[in-house]
Amino acid sequence: MTVRNNEEQLRKFEEYLRLYKDDVYRVALYFTKNKDDAEDLTQDAFIRAYTFFNRFRHDTNFKAWILKIMRNLYITQVKKKRFTVEHQDEHMVMPDSNNNTEKQLLDSLRVMDVKKAIDLLPAEFKEIIILCELEGYSYEEIAKIIGIPVGTVRSRLHRARLLLRERLAVKQ
Amino acid sequence: MKNIQKEKTDICPECKDLINEFIDHRMDFASRHAFMERISRCRREKGCYLCIELLKSFMSLRKSLKSLKLDVSAPDWLMRKILEKIQ
């Protein structure tokens, strides 16, 4: 590859990095629940994407492609037990009984219940809820990220919602 | 003899898909309207509330999930670090 091509490739990649680093970081943070791990995962995903950037077709969705790489890295690292420590969710809003009103306290407790219910979901349902409900991706994008048919996205989403409803109904 | 219908406990597969399509804003205005008509008819004619109840609970679930959305960005140094590594 010529120097000019390399420069052009780097410039294009930098553009994608600037555009999507926050999206990748946020999903990594939902997955790992830890700032340091999310930073490492984001970095590893972009470095890996750059290695295979010549294979990426620019008429397709870069965001779905980079998220797929990040998800695969996450799964590999979970298998290698890199994330063995159960982290306290750093972005969890903890209720402070001294400063909050009763309503705020109840809202915070409700948030904790929902969070816990998501954490208890099987991995394949949890990621669907994160991608669809929290990040707002379309069924088609989720299908590309996870590598499953759109129909499977739809049915997993339905089952995930039913499970969450079941688990949260007891508390309502 | 009066036909005694067995109590329906499972939502029909077509409605199951439509509920999710509705919740996730994947329907155009006409389809949304047709779906609302359909579940209203089920309630009126068959006394079936399954879809309506499910729709309500999925909507309430979505509201609860909203509170978990993170509003965070990757730290500024991360982009610099990635660029350093790939150059």
Side-chain angles (χ1 to χ4, degrees):
Chain A
M1 195 178 277
T2 63
V3 175
R4 191 184 162 79
N5 276 347
N6 274 337
E7 276 175 11
E8 175 65 20
Q9 180 156 304
L10 186 63
R11 193 194 56 74
K12 190 78 197 158
F13 190 79
E14 197 178 330
E15 203 180 304
Y16 282 131
L17 174 62
R18 198 182 305 279
L19 273 173
Y20 300 120
K21 63 180 179 9
D22 293 338
D23 299 294
V24 176
Y25 174 72
R26 219 169 30 248
V27 177
L29 195 54
Y30 283 124
F31 283 175
T32 62
K33 292 185 274 172
N34 174 277
K35 218 168 118 275
D36 295 334
D37 287 340
E39 286 162 4
D40 286 348
L41 196 56
T42 305
Q43 181 181 295
D44 293 349
F46 274 104
I47 291 172
R48 192 165 180 81
Y50 190 69
T51 312
F52 297 103
F53 195 48
N54 53 351
R55 288 191 205 168
F56 173 70
R57 281 178 43 216
H58 292 274
D59 57 341
T60 58
N61 185 338
F62 183 85
K63 190 155 76 163
W65 186 64
I66 183 75
L67 282 170
K68 184 176 188 161
I69 292 173
M70 189 272 284
R71 175 188 176 265
N72 290 343
L73 282 172
Y74 173 70
I75 291 170
T76 310
Q77 287 169 2
V78 165
K79 277 183 189 157
K80 283 184 187 166
K81 298 200 190 317
R82 189 178 144 185
F83 306 126
T84 45
V85 184
E86 194 58 43
H87 299 293
Q88 173 73 42
D89 198 331
E90 292 167 0
H91 293 270
M92 186 78 233
V93 184
M94 297 301 284
D96 176 358
S97 53
N98 295 323
N99 299 327
N100 287 358
T101 63
E102 196 178 338
K103 193 192 172 298
Q104 283 171 320
L105 201 66
L106 286 170
D107 285 347
S108 303
L109 289 170
R110 172 78 184 155
V111 170
M112 285 168 76
D113 284 341
V114 179
K115 180 82 191 56
K116 206 172 164 188
I118 294 177
D119 281 343
L120 289 171
L121 286 176
E124 69 267 31
F125 295 147
K126 189 175 161 182
E127 67 181 355
I128 289 268
I129 289 290
I130 289 172
L131 293 170
C132 178
E133 293 281 15
L134 304 183
E135 284 294 298
Y137 289 108
S138 69
Y139 292 6
E140 287 75 13
E141 283 175 311
I142 297 171
K144 274 184 197 150
I145 295 166
I146 302 182
I148 52 174
V150 173
T152 312
V153 172
R154 191 182 282 115
S155 61
R156 277 191 196 172
L157 189 58
H158 184 74
R159 289 178 65 194
R161 282 172 170 156
L162 284 181
L163 279 172
L164 282 179
R165 180 177 90 138
E166 203 176 285
R167 282 168 189 171
L168 291 166
V170 185
K171 311 247 179 188
Q172 275 172 345
Chain B
M1 201 170 120
K2 210 175 175 182
N3 183 20
I4 301 166
Q5 243 189 338
K6 197 181 151 199
E7 195 190 345
K8 203 179 163 203
T9 52
D10 283 332
I11 198 161
C12 38
E14 201 180 331
C15 281
K16 185 186 92 176
D17 284 347
L18 291 174
I19 285 176
N20 288 285
E21 297 279 320
F22 184 91
I23 293 278
D24 294 320
H25 307 288
R26 291 171 59 85
M27 283 176 169
D28 57 27
F29 180 79
S31 311
R32 285 177 81 84
H33 185 73
F35 176 62
M36 293 305 279
E37 285 272 301
R38 178 192 168 106
I39 60 174
S40 305
R41 206 179 322 116
C42 279
R43 186 194 56 190
R44 240 182 2 253
E45 294 168 9
K46 301 179 198 164
C48 176
Y49 284 83
L50 288 175
C51 287
I52 294 173
E53 276 170 16
L54 202 57
L55 195 65
K56 275 186 192 165
S57 57
F58 280 2
M59 278 176 154
S60 137
L61 184 65
R62 167 152 285 183
K63 227 183 244 178
S64 303
L65 288 168
K66 253 189 184 176
S67 55
L68 293 182
K69 281 187 184 177
L70 295 178
D71 185 21
V72 288
S73 306
D76 292 336
W77 56 263
L78 190 61
M79 183 168 161
R80 285 197 300 274
K81 200 174 163 192
I82 294 168
L83 285 173
E84 269 169 29
K85 292 216 172 193
I86 60 174
Q87 271 164 356

